[in-house]
Amino acid sequence: MSTAMTADSFTRLTRRQLAWCAAQAIPDGSYVNLGIGVPTLCANVMPADREIVLHSENGVLGFGPAPAAGAEDCDLINASKEYITMRPGGAFFMHTDAFVMIRGGHIDLALLGAFEVSGTGDLANWTTGDRRFPPGVGGAMDLAVGAKAIWVLTEHTTKKGEPKIVDTCKYPLTAAGVVRKIFTDLAEIDVSPDGLVVRAMVEGLTQEALQAMTQPPIRLADDCRVMAAPAG
Amino acid sequence: MSTAMTADSFTRLTRRQLAWCAAQAIPDGSYVNLGIGVPTLCANVMPADREIVLHSENGVLGFGPAPAAGAEDCDLINASKEYITMRPGGAFFMHTDAFVMIRGGHIDLALLGAFEVSGTGDLANWTTGDRRFPPGVGGAMDLAVGAKAIWVLTEHTTKKGEPKIVDTCKYPLTAAGVVRKIFTDLAEIDVSPDGLVVRAMVEGLTQEALQAMTQPPIRLADDCRVMAAPAG
Amino acid sequence: MPIDKIVPTLEAAVAGIGDGMTIMISGFGFAGVPNDLIEAVLKLGAKDLTVISNNAGTGTEGLAALMGSGRVRRIICSYPRSKGSDKFDARYAAGEIELELVPQGTLSERMRAAAAGIGAFYCPTGVGTELAAGKEVRTIEGRDYVLEMPLRADVALVQAQKADRWGNLTYSKSARNFGPVMAMAADLTIVQAKEIVPLDAMDPETIMTQSIFVDRVVHVDNDREWDI
Amino acid sequence: MPIDKIVPTLEAAVAGIGDGMTIMISGFGFAGVPNDLIEAVLKLGAKDLTVISNNAGTGTEGLAALMGSGRVRRIICSYPRSKGSDKFDARYAAGEIELELVPQGTLSERMRAAAAGIGAFYCPTGVGTELAAGKEVRTIEGRDYVLEMPLRADVALVQAQKADRWGNLTYSKSARNFGPVMAMAADLTIVQAKEIVPLDAMDPETIMTQSIFVDRVVHVDNDREWDI
């Protein structure tokens, strides 16, 4: 496994493919919050054979994919302020009640974006600490402490190629030790008590190459799969 | 004024008449909670020329009088568990929200029953302290601390003829210093910083006779009226 | 797989309710009480129960029957005694049921705190009274408050008007009362609904309990006259 | 006399809003923002304002115009920066607007606490983070919480779908967001409603803000395209 890796030996997933991979992993019947960023894309790629109820902190439960062009409704948006549609069984409610659901432990799973995730599941996704720009926390801290499980969906590295999965978050934390699973454009990784376990990787990626882009030590699951998604 | 008083020199108001007198004193446009007992009777005798919005802690705002016989709805009752009707503009909501209205200071006025009221507005209306019988507090304590004003509606004396307006409540308090006005079957009395001021008395009643049935000192308002209500 | 929270029988609805559990029961007076579910719990035979309900039942059936059954160790409520609450009154007088009396607004707010993940809250109700005896008092901006703790339950029994297979609910008039907040505050929320409607029949604007809070729904639409 | 909270003009709706006041503004992103009321406040000229709103506005009108006007001293919100929030960003970078960043759920819960007469509450959100720095921490049943204080306002500006003369309101879809809780948490609640309906037109089961929380209603149903 010491063969030299070339930059084009593997292909990163698109944001939509990353969302698709995460969406396929959601248990049937779950109540799931989709956070700002890549997570909100999941609504467009949910598995057709499962009934999963999507929650948005702006007072929506049971929403569906983005509307067709021309069918947008200004009063019907998700946490990322993108247009959505409603599924039968959906409901609207006020913000306070949306956070009763979140803080009160009623959400089975929240998918969140991240600036950084640590090997022990610390999450940093609300501020880079750059005082020139206003920080924005939104519902991230509420979800991080309230949802029964937290998965992170993010690019594996920053635009500069630096790892986003780190030993210690250098950005201010959203919450400590809350992330259970990480989906990136390269791999699906469990945050286990014994460290990071790679459940799947994109075709052509090696453990060494992935480790080079990941600060904490990783190990491959015995049944590590190829991570793939429909084109698009 | 030292003439001997005879028992039949005045006539006590009926419960309905007492409710009528209190109802006529409610300012137009008020949001008013009607407590268990005599207060709930007020809904049947509200002044026709005013729009007053009645609140019940079981999740009803804007209710009207009792229904005609045969038109009762088991799902539509007041705090006394008596049948009511709804007025246009009324609304239903859950218990928690009914108490947001109460505790949050949104109710202009609450009319409550009492076991005892003190000359300084202390209210005792939830338990006699008799350990053989279970006490019941209901929404009385919430109303006592939350409504902008508290009026008490009660018989002037107990069944044994003892004063219910007392120097010091002997029963456990509901709240201290909250009552602003007392309507009894004999008089309308303001609880002022300077003591009890009689605003009205039933026909034939004297200050001496009323004082004999009232522990704290009373004085008559300069414009003390005759307290009267339609028969019934 | 379609989500389907509808169960075929009252027996299936209450399955798993066991000894020592804490059970919230919706209703205010005779409005909104899930009498059929209560009867099913009685048949099940669970004992040593803690009941959280605004009242303690009147007459001989429903909540009153539960109170008289000897299976309730403790009740948390605001107003147990009413005309006809003989079943409870007798057990209380005999010292056979422990009573925690809570102001009605504090009762519903404590349920909401449990539902909303609030650790505790400062409440102005009852300050200086017997019902606040022993509770922490704190002065905030010149006003005194008592510290109140969340009130959760293992099970909530709730009566609703309409339900769909996801568990969305609407209620009828003042029968709504404690239904929505109890549905939110229990680990297992069991609903008896007068009507079961298709998933697309409810207006998403007017659902009063969202499906996320409901676990089981049973259809009960009988004309039975209860002695309550 | 009939209760009539409907006022004829936007000017009448915002009358009395003065310097130094704290104003809640409903909306999440572009949904449910009372743009016409905000514009009326701008015309009124009140300054030194504290604004409580989830976002800080995008584009050049509505909330963004208010942020850029120099009349806002402070904003309390959860997510000020979005694509197009240039007006706010510039004032923030220049140190001209003070920002209190509050987690979104804590923001709405603090409003509800003010509305409900709760003195303070223990909240699990943000424990151990910068946003909880300096706040009292308390361990309750093994979990850490921070003490959060009620958040009230002098005025709430709320956008609704339907209103009647008592001030009962309904909303449209996710434009509901902060409307109901802000209506409850302000001393003076001012509503712009797309439709005014007769008093008996609303179903009492489905009113989302009850009239008790509303002070003024103005009818605004224009097709204006806002740059937001």
Side-chain angles (χ1 to χ4, degrees):
Chain A
M1 295 292 283
S2 61
T3 53
M5 190 194 60
T6 60
D8 56 353
S9 64
F10 60 89
T11 305
R12 287 172 185 267
L13 301 179
T14 63
R15 282 161 58 92
R16 184 182 169 89
Q17 287 177 315
L18 162 50
W20 186 91
C21 287
Q24 310 317 302
I26 300 173
D28 202 0
S30 302
Y31 285 82
V32 181
N33 178 284
L34 300 183
I36 294 182
V38 178
T40 50
L41 297 178
C42 291
N44 301 326
V45 291
M46 298 297 290
D49 59 341
R50 284 178 225 167
E51 212 163 55
I52 290 163
V53 184
L54 298 179
H55 175 274
S56 190
E57 52 260 51
N58 54 326
V60 185
L61 192 67
F63 64 93
E72 298 88 354
D73 181 334
C74 283
D75 291 340
L76 188 47
I77 61 176
N78 64 19
S80 292
K81 287 98 180 178
E82 298 156 345
Y83 295 111
I84 54 174
T85 52
M86 287 300 281
R87 296 183 58 177
F92 300 113
F93 36 90
M94 70 164 163
H95 238 88
T96 321
D97 292 340
F99 283 90
V100 168
M101 296 177 192
I102 291 172
R103 202 191 309 100
H106 308 280
I107 302 284
D108 295 312
L109 174 63
L111 309 191
L112 299 177
F115 296 154
E116 295 174 322
V117 187
S118 82
T120 55
D122 293 353
L123 173 64
N125 73 348
W126 70 278
T127 181
T128 60
D130 185 333
R131 297 295 168 183
R132 290 170 301 170
F133 302 111
V137 66
M141 285 189 184
D142 309 274
L143 285 159
V145 303
K148 289 179 196 161
I150 303 286
W151 295 356
V152 157
L153 277 62
T154 180
E155 284 80 23
H156 203 91
T157 54
T158 66
K159 284 170 190 167
K160 292 181 180 170
E162 287 161 1
K164 296 184 77 169
I165 304 173
V166 295
D167 290 323
T168 305
C169 294
K170 67 178 182 295
Y171 295 142
L173 287 193
T174 305
V178 296
V179 178
R180 292 286 158 268
K181 197 184 259 292
I182 308 167
F183 286 90
T184 76
D185 48 1
L186 295 177
E188 174 190 337
I189 301 173
D190 281 355
V191 182
S192 84
D194 305 325
L196 299 178
V197 179
V198 181
R199 313 290 319 179
M201 289 190 295
V202 295
E203 182 88 54
L205 184 62
T206 63
Q207 180 172 358
E208 289 75 8
L210 186 62
Q211 183 68 73
M213 294 181 279
T214 311
Q215 273 189 4
I218 56 171
R219 60 186 174 83
L220 301 197
D222 293 342
D223 56 349
C224 183
R225 292 169 285 107
V226 170
M227 191 179 189
Chain B
M1 295 293 278
S2 62
T3 54
M5 190 194 61
T6 60
D8 56 352
S9 62
F10 59 89
T11 305
R12 288 173 183 267
L13 301 178
T14 64
R15 283 161 57 92
R16 184 182 168 90
Q17 287 176 314
L18 162 50
W20 186 92
C21 289
Q24 310 317 302
I26 300 172
D28 202 1
S30 302
Y31 285 81
V32 181
N33 179 283
L34 301 183
I36 294 181
V38 179
T40 50
L41 297 177
C42 291
N44 301 328
V45 291
M46 296 299 289
D49 59 341
R50 285 179 225 166
E51 213 163 56
I52 291 164
V53 184
L54 299 179
H55 175 273
S56 190
E57 53 258 51
N58 54 327
V60 185
L61 192 67
F63 65 92
E72 298 88 354
D73 181 335
C74 283
D75 291 340
L76 187 47
I77 60 175
N78 63 19
S80 292
K81 287 97 180 178
E82 298 154 347
Y83 295 111
I84 54 174
T85 52
M86 287 300 280
R87 296 183 58 177
F92 300 113
F93 36 91
M94 71 165 162
H95 238 89
T96 321
D97 292 341
F99 283 90
V100 168
M101 297 177 191
I102 292 171
R103 202 192 307 101
H106 308 280
I107 303 284
D108 295 312
L109 175 63
L111 309 191
L112 299 177
F115 296 154
E116 294 174 323
V117 188
S118 83
T120 55
D122 294 353
L123 173 64
N125 75 347
W126 69 278
T127 180
T128 59
D130 185 333
R131 300 291 168 186
R132 288 170 303 170
F133 302 111
V137 66
M141 286 189 183
D142 309 274
L143 285 159
V145 303
K148 289 179 197 161
I150 303 287
W151 295 356
V152 157
L153 277 60
T154 179
E155 284 81 22
H156 203 92
T157 53
T158 66
K159 285 173 189 166
K160 292 182 182 170
E162 288 161 0
K164 296 183 76 167
I165 305 173
V166 295
D167 291 323
T168 305
C169 295
K170 65 178 183 294
Y171 296 143
L173 288 192
T174 304
V178 296
V179 179
R180 292 287 157 267
K181 198 185 258 293
I182 308 166
F183 287 89
T184 76
D185 48 1
L186 295 177
E188 173 190 337
I189 301 173
D190 280 356
V191 181
S192 84
D194 305 324
L196 299 179
V197 179
V198 180
R199 312 292 318 180
M201 289 189 296
V202 296
E203 183 87 51
L205 185 60
T206 62
Q207 180 173 357
E208 289 74 10
L210 186 61
Q211 182 68 73
M213 292 181 281
T214 311
Q215 273 189 3
I218 57 171
R219 63 186 172 83
L220 300 198
D222 294 341
D223 58 348
C224 184
R225 292 169 284 108
V226 170
M227 191 178 188
Chain C
M1 218 171 65
I3 295 170
D4 192 356
K5 299 178 183 173
I6 298 168
V7 297
T9 63
L10 285 160
E11 192 181 6
V14 301
I17 296 182
D19 295 353
M21 283 191 175
T22 295
I23 304 181
M24 288 178 176
I25 300 179
S26 71
F28 178 90
F30 51 82
V33 184
N35 290 305
D36 301 86
L37 285 173
I38 295 170
E39 190 172 65
V41 169
L42 273 170
K43 281 185 191 159
L44 193 65
K47 60 181 191 296
D48 197 28
L49 302 174
T50 294
V51 168
I52 304 173
S53 194
N54 190 64
N55 306 106
T58 56
T60 61
E61 295 189 305
L63 196 50
L66 186 59
M67 288 301 141
S69 68
R71 306 234 184 89
V72 178
R73 181 172 57 81
R74 184 157 177 259
I75 180 168
I76 303 173
C77 72
S78 90
Y79 207 81
R81 193 176 177 213
S82 300
K83 193 176 163 188
S85 63
D86 311 350
K87 294 271 189 195
F88 169 77
D89 297 354
R91 292 275 175 183
Y92 177 84
E96 290 166 4
I97 291 187
E98 185 186 335
L99 169 65
E100 179 181 342
L101 195 73
V102 181
Q104 203 170 125
T106 301
L107 186 67
S108 66
E109 190 68 15
R110 288 177 60 196
M111 292 175 193
R112 185 190 174 276
I118 301 300
F121 61 95
Y122 288 102
C123 185
T125 306
V127 171
T129 72
E130 275 188 17
L131 294 188
K135 292 186 177 178
E136 175 186 322
V137 175
R138 182 169 183 146
T139 306
I140 300 169
E141 304 213 336
R143 190 175 191 194
D144 285 349
Y145 297 84
V146 290
L147 186 68
E148 295 286 355
M149 303 305 286
L151 189 60
R152 55 162 293 288
D154 298 305
V155 179
L157 307 181
V158 171
Q159 195 259 315
Q161 186 66 26
K162 294 184 188 179
D164 63 27
R165 66 175 171 81
W166 277 17
N168 289 304
L169 306 180
T170 61
Y171 299 86
S172 170
K173 307 186 184 75
S174 67
R176 190 184 307 182
N177 58 67
F178 283 91
V181 73
M182 287 181 170
M184 298 194 293
D187 292 344
L188 177 70
T189 294
I190 306 170
V191 177
Q192 69 169 79
K194 289 188 184 168
E195 301 171 52
I196 304 292
V197 300
L199 195 61
D200 57 0
M202 286 192 190
D203 180 352
E205 297 280 9
T206 63
I207 287 167
M208 291 302 158
T209 290
Q210 296 82 24
S211 64
I212 195 169
F213 297 118
V214 173
D215 298 287
R216 298 178 193 165
V217 174
V218 62
H219 185 210
V220 176
D221 181 25
N222 56 37
D223 286 337
R224 179 163 165 187
E225 286 271 336
W226 294 88
D227 178 29
I228 56 172
Chain D
M1 218 172 64
I3 296 171
D4 191 358
K5 299 179 183 171
I6 298 170
V7 296
T9 63
L10 285 160
E11 194 181 4
V14 299
I17 296 182
D19 295 353
M21 283 191 175
T22 296
I23 305 181
M24 289 177 174
I25 301 178
S26 71
F28 179 90
F30 51 82
V33 184
N35 291 305
D36 301 86
L37 286 173
I38 294 170
E39 192 173 64
V41 169
L42 273 170
K43 282 185 189 160
L44 192 66
K47 60 182 192 299
D48 198 27
L49 302 173
T50 295
V51 168
I52 304 173
S53 194
N54 190 64
N55 305 106
T58 56
T60 62
E61 296 189 304
L63 196 50
L66 186 61
M67 288 300 141
S69 68
R71 307 235 184 87
V72 178
R73 182 173 57 80
R74 183 156 179 260
I75 181 168
I76 303 172
C77 72
S78 89
Y79 208 81
R81 194 176 177 213
S82 299
K83 194 176 163 189
S85 62
D86 310 352
K87 294 271 188 195
F88 170 78
D89 297 355
R91 293 275 174 181
Y92 178 85
E96 291 165 6
I97 291 187
E98 186 186 333
L99 168 65
E100 180 180 343
L101 195 75
V102 181
Q104 203 170 127
T106 301
L107 186 67
S108 66
E109 189 69 15
R110 288 178 59 194
M111 293 176 194
R112 185 190 174 277
I118 300 301
F121 61 94
Y122 289 101
C123 185
T125 306
V127 171
T129 72
E130 278 188 16
L131 294 188
K135 292 186 178 178
E136 175 186 322
V137 175
R138 182 169 183 147
T139 307
I140 300 168
E141 304 212 338
R143 190 174 191 196
D144 286 348
Y145 297 84
V146 291
L147 185 68
E148 296 286 354
M149 304 304 287
L151 189 60
R152 55 161 293 286
D154 299 305
V155 179
L157 307 181
V158 170
Q159 195 259 317
Q161 185 66 26
K162 294 184 188 178
D164 62 28
R165 65 176 172 82
W166 278 17
N168 289 304
L169 307 179
T170 62
Y171 300 87
S172 170
K173 306 184 182 77
S174 67
R176 189 184 308 182
N177 57 67
F178 283 91
V181 73
M182 287 182 171
M184 297 192 295
D187 292 344
L188 177 69
T189 294
I190 306 170
V191 177
Q192 68 169 79
K194 289 188 185 169
E195 302 171 51
I196 305 291
V197 300
L199 195 60
D200 58 358
M202 287 192 190
D203 179 352
E205 297 280 8
T206 64
I207 287 166
M208 290 302 159
T209 290
Q210 296 83 23
S211 65
I212 195 169
F213 297 118
V214 172
D215 298 287
R216 299 177 192 165
V217 174
V218 62
H219 184 210
V220 175
D221 181 25
N222 55 37
D223 285 338
R224 180 164 164 187
E225 286 271 335
W226 294 88
D227 177 29
I228 56 172

